[in-house]
């Protein structure tokens, strides 16, 4: 990129992914910056237009709920990629495999095992039973290979010292992988020479890995498993991703009305007649899956689906009831779950978290509300969050009342000084806070797709990176071997 793009760039005391505190380019960014130096302002603007056109033509959109216009917007992608060196990624990958393995063991113990975690009082029973994601209907429903979290999206942040920490576990229907693949495709078209010279680990095998995992976890009786993706329909904010994943796997994208259950067997309506379905990658929340068992007013699901799953005739992924494990209050116990199930120390640390149902912790938090982040335990996408240092007195008073009324419903965390990354803003680069959502697949083995979705808080100073709150993204390059040029 033109050298003057960096004029005035400052890390302002934050951990910067590309520059050291003394302003030196970190070693794994040197080749990239050297290659980008030949690009002019005019050429850069042309490449941005090429990127935008590619995203529009591909329909790469995201719906921001609550906006007056409703609606879909193209997903912003910054042209400067994030780079993770191989040794750093090895640490992340090992930590994610450890964490997801423990979470799968926990869910299997809770819903299909002896519930030893409760008997041994590793997590309070009442806490699990009161989680909005706890699902009594999931008891006894077979989950082949114990792959409850067939796809997990684990949100990581990097603190002021550059240490990776787990911010959230997303174990129900984590979204964003389609943007990972589309960002990579766009980068290879917009900056082909730069990308081609860097030793970047591929991500385009995701569809094949997901399909292999779905087939592997289909009912044992299924000879050649028939897999479908179940979507709520085109009005869902992540519909683009649902269609994308079905295309990537070469399987049918279906809505509830396309499926029927007969004698506890699931069939898909086709022009050739009914076809048996063995594995469903559902992108519908538990409550809407089956009106016979869950919400009776749901028109999105399939009557009788739970009975078919309970009979072992179809596998639904991700499994029902995973929400109990990504409840933000249960998150605080995940390090202990790792020790309990695996006998290992956690490789990736949590962020420091306070449980507000504990009277002492609640009092301490209420005394420091303006210094902390408060989150509702059952929300995702950044909704309902209160960032104390950025909140008004009125907002702090409101969140205090909500905590007092429902202490189980909230947690508080120390504000993490999120790392920043140079990001193209108009005609120059500025630091913007980022996080990382790697995707973990549990099939015949636990596999982490290299990189993940780097989300960017596009508004200066903002710590909210969620796409549903108007954030953007970056392509994430995990370097192979010792990295650098090919």
């Amino acid at each position: 990129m033109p050298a003057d793009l960096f004029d005035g760039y400052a890390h302002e005391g934050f951990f910067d992914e590309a520059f050291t505190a003394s302003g030196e380019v970190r070693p794994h960014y040197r080749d990239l910056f050297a290659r980008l130096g030949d690009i002019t302002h005019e050429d850069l603007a042309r490449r941005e237009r090429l990127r935008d056109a590619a995203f529009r033509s591909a329909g790469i959109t995201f719906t921001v709920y609550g906006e007056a216009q409703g609606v879909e917007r193209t997903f912003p992608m910054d042209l400067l990629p994030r780079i993770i060196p191989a040794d750093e990624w090895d640490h992340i990958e090992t930590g994610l495999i450890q964490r997801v393995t423990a979470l799968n063991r926990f869910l299997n113990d809770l819903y299909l095992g002896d519930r030893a975690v409760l008997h041994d009082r590793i997590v309070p029973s009442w806490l699990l039973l009161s989680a909005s994601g706890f699902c009594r209907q999931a008891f006894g429903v077979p989950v082949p290979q114990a792959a409850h979290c067939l796809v997990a999206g684990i949100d990581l942040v990097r603190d002021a010292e550059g240490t990776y920490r787990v911010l959230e576990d997303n174990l129900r229907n984590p979204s964003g992988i389609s943007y990972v693949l589309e960002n990579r495709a766009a980068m290879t078209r917009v900056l082909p020479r730069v990308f081609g010279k860097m030793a970047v680990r591929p991500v385009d095998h995701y569809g094949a890995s997901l399909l292999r995992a779905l087939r592997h976890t289909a009912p044992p009786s299924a000879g050649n498993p028939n897999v479908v993706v179940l979507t709520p329909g085109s009005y869902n904010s992540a519909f683009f991703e649902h269609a994308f994943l079905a295309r990537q796997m070469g399987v049918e994208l279906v809505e509830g009305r396309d499926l029927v259950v007969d004698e506890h067997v699931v069939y898909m309506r086709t022009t050739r007649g009914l076809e048996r379905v063995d594995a469903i990658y559902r992108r519908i929340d538990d409550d809407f899956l089956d009106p016979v068992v869950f919400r009776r007013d749901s028109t999105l699901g399939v009557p009788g689906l739970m009975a078919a799953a309970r009979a072992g005739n179809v596998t639904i992924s991700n499994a029902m009831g995973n929400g109990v494990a990504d409840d933000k209050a249960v998150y605080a116990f995940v390090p202990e779950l790792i020790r309990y199930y695996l006998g290992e120390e956690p490789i990736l640390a949590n962020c420091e978290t306070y449980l507000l149902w504990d009277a002492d912790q609640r009092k301490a938090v209420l005394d420091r509300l303006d210094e902390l982040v408060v989150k509702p335990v059952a929300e995702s996408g950044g909704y309902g969050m209160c960032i104390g240092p950025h909140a008004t007195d009125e907002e702090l008073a409101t969140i205090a009342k909500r905590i007092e009324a429902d202490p189980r419903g909230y947690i508080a965390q120390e504000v993490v000084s999120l790392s920043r990354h140079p990001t193209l803003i108009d005609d120059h680069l500025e630091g913007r806070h980022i996080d990382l959502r790697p995707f973990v697949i549990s099939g015949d083995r636990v596999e982490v797709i290299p990189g993940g979705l780097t989300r960017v808080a596009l508004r200066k100073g903002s710590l909210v990176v969620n796409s549903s709150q108007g954030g953007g993204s970056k392509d994430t390059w995990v370097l192979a071997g010792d990295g650098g040029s090919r």
Side-chain angles (χ1 to χ4, degrees):
M1 289 186 176
D4 61 354
L5 278 180
F6 286 98
D7 287 352
Y9 185 84
H11 56 71
E12 299 176 305
F14 295 100
F15 184 91
D16 193 285
E17 298 285 343
F19 294 93
T20 65
S22 59
E24 297 292 320
V25 177
R26 295 188 188 277
H28 51 287
Y29 276 89
R30 287 175 187 161
D31 279 352
L32 173 69
F33 286 177
R35 297 182 189 287
L36 292 174
D38 296 334
I39 298 176
T40 65
H41 281 283
E42 293 72 22
D43 197 19
L44 186 61
R46 182 183 64 79
R47 291 167 197 263
E48 284 195 298
R49 290 195 297 273
L50 180 62
R51 173 205 58 195
D52 294 343
F55 273 46
R56 279 196 300 273
S57 65
I60 303 170
T61 59
F62 195 91
T63 301
V64 179
Y65 290 128
E67 288 199 344
Q69 298 92 340
V71 231
E72 291 182 310
R73 60 173 57 168
T74 54
F75 193 50
M77 186 200 78
D78 185 63
L79 284 185
L80 195 62
R82 177 201 199 147
I83 299 178
I84 301 175
D87 57 342
E88 205 170 271
W89 179 252
D90 287 345
H91 173 76
I92 295 171
E93 183 179 45
T94 307
L96 291 172
I97 290 173
Q98 179 195 57
R99 191 171 182 100
V100 171
T101 300
L103 287 166
N104 273 323
R105 294 272 298 272
F106 163 61
L107 287 163
N108 205 59
D109 180 24
L110 180 64
Y111 287 121
L112 293 163
D114 297 331
R115 290 179 279 285
V117 70
L118 303 183
H119 301 315
D120 290 337
R121 300 182 179 181
I122 305 302
V123 184
S125 300
W126 69 267
L127 186 70
L128 298 181
L129 299 178
S130 61
S132 64
F134 175 72
C135 179
R136 294 182 184 280
Q137 296 86 341
F139 282 120
V141 176
V143 179
Q145 316 302 326
H148 293 260
C149 312
L150 190 118
V151 178
I154 309 296
D155 290 348
L156 303 178
V157 295
R158 220 166 175 193
D159 63 19
E161 285 73 44
T163 302
Y164 283 98
R165 294 181 178 276
V166 177
L167 185 65
E168 291 183 10
D169 302 294
N170 297 282
L171 309 176
R172 287 170 277 184
N173 288 308
S175 61
I177 188 63
S178 60
Y179 303 119
V180 174
L181 274 62
E182 289 289 3
N183 283 355
R184 178 60 53 82
M187 289 297 284
T188 58
R189 288 196 296 269
V190 175
L191 293 168
R193 291 186 181 177
V194 174
F195 181 82
K197 295 294 184 181
M198 301 287 290
V200 180
R201 291 181 62 181
V203 296
D204 56 3
H205 59 287
Y206 181 83
S209 292
L210 178 59
L211 181 59
R212 184 173 64 246
L214 287 162
R215 288 177 176 273
H216 184 72
T217 54
S221 57
N224 182 23
N226 191 16
V227 175
V228 299
V229 175
L230 176 61
T231 176
S234 59
Y235 292 106
N236 185 269
S237 66
F239 179 74
F240 165 78
E241 178 152 300
H242 306 164
F244 178 89
L245 290 172
R247 284 199 307 274
Q248 287 283 312
M249 291 191 286
V251 305
E252 294 290 338
L253 176 69
V254 300
E255 298 183 25
R257 61 192 176 188
D258 299 318
L259 301 179
V260 61
V261 178
D262 184 35
E263 298 290 335
H264 296 170
V265 175
V266 182
Y267 296 93
M268 173 174 54
R269 293 185 173 96
T270 77
T271 55
R272 301 173 299 280
L274 296 178
E275 284 185 11
R276 180 164 179 160
V277 172
D278 305 293
I280 298 174
Y281 184 43
R282 57 81 177 242
R283 301 305 296 261
I284 294 178
D285 292 343
D286 288 357
D287 285 348
F288 299 93
L289 267 179
D290 181 348
V292 175
V293 176
F294 299 106
R295 286 183 52 158
R296 295 186 180 277
D297 61 342
S298 171
T299 58
L300 302 176
V302 186
L305 184 59
M306 283 295 291
R310 188 173 296 280
N313 291 329
V314 68
T315 300
I316 300 171
S317 299
N318 284 348
M320 285 74 66
N322 279 7
V324 69
D326 67 14
D327 181 289
K328 291 180 177 59
V330 177
Y331 153 93
F333 293 87
V334 174
E336 199 53 42
L337 292 176
I338 292 171
R339 296 184 186 98
Y340 180 68
Y341 287 110
L342 306 181
E344 301 170 0
E345 281 301 305
I347 296 170
L348 297 170
N350 274 15
C351 298
E352 192 168 359
T353 301
Y354 305 105
L355 298 169
L356 303 185
W357 45 266
D358 180 284
D360 293 339
Q361 294 189 44
R362 183 168 68 252
K363 181 179 184 310
V365 164
L366 289 172
D367 288 343
R368 309 175 48 223
L369 262 186
D370 60 339
E371 302 173 15
L372 303 169
V373 178
V374 176
K375 300 176 179 177
V377 297
E379 289 285 359
S380 59
Y383 293 105
M385 186 165 63
C386 177
I387 302 175
H390 297 173
T392 65
D393 290 343
E394 184 179 1
E395 289 168 336
L396 292 174
T398 299
I399 199 69
K401 287 180 183 175
R402 289 176 180 168
I403 291 169
E404 294 283 15
D406 179 21
R408 164 66 176 87
Y410 293 87
I411 61 164
Q413 293 177 322
E414 298 289 344
V415 176
V416 178
S417 181
L418 302 187
S419 66
R420 297 202 322 187
H421 196 287
T423 301
L424 195 58
I425 305 295
D426 299 326
D427 61 350
H428 64 288
L429 291 165
E430 294 182 7
R432 289 292 185 268
H433 294 296
I434 59 172
D435 78 348
L436 177 66
R437 174 176 290 181
F439 291 86
V440 186
I441 297 176
S442 298
D444 53 340
R445 60 191 176 93
V446 181
E447 177 185 5
V448 186
I449 303 303
L453 182 63
T454 290
R455 301 183 296 182
V456 185
L458 292 175
R459 188 160 50 85
K460 187 174 178 59
S462 173
L463 296 172
V464 182
V465 299
N466 305 78
S467 7
S468 54
Q469 303 285 316
S473 69
K474 287 177 172 291
D475 193 14
T476 308
W477 294 2
V478 173
L479 299 181
D482 57 0
S485 303
R486 292 183 189 279

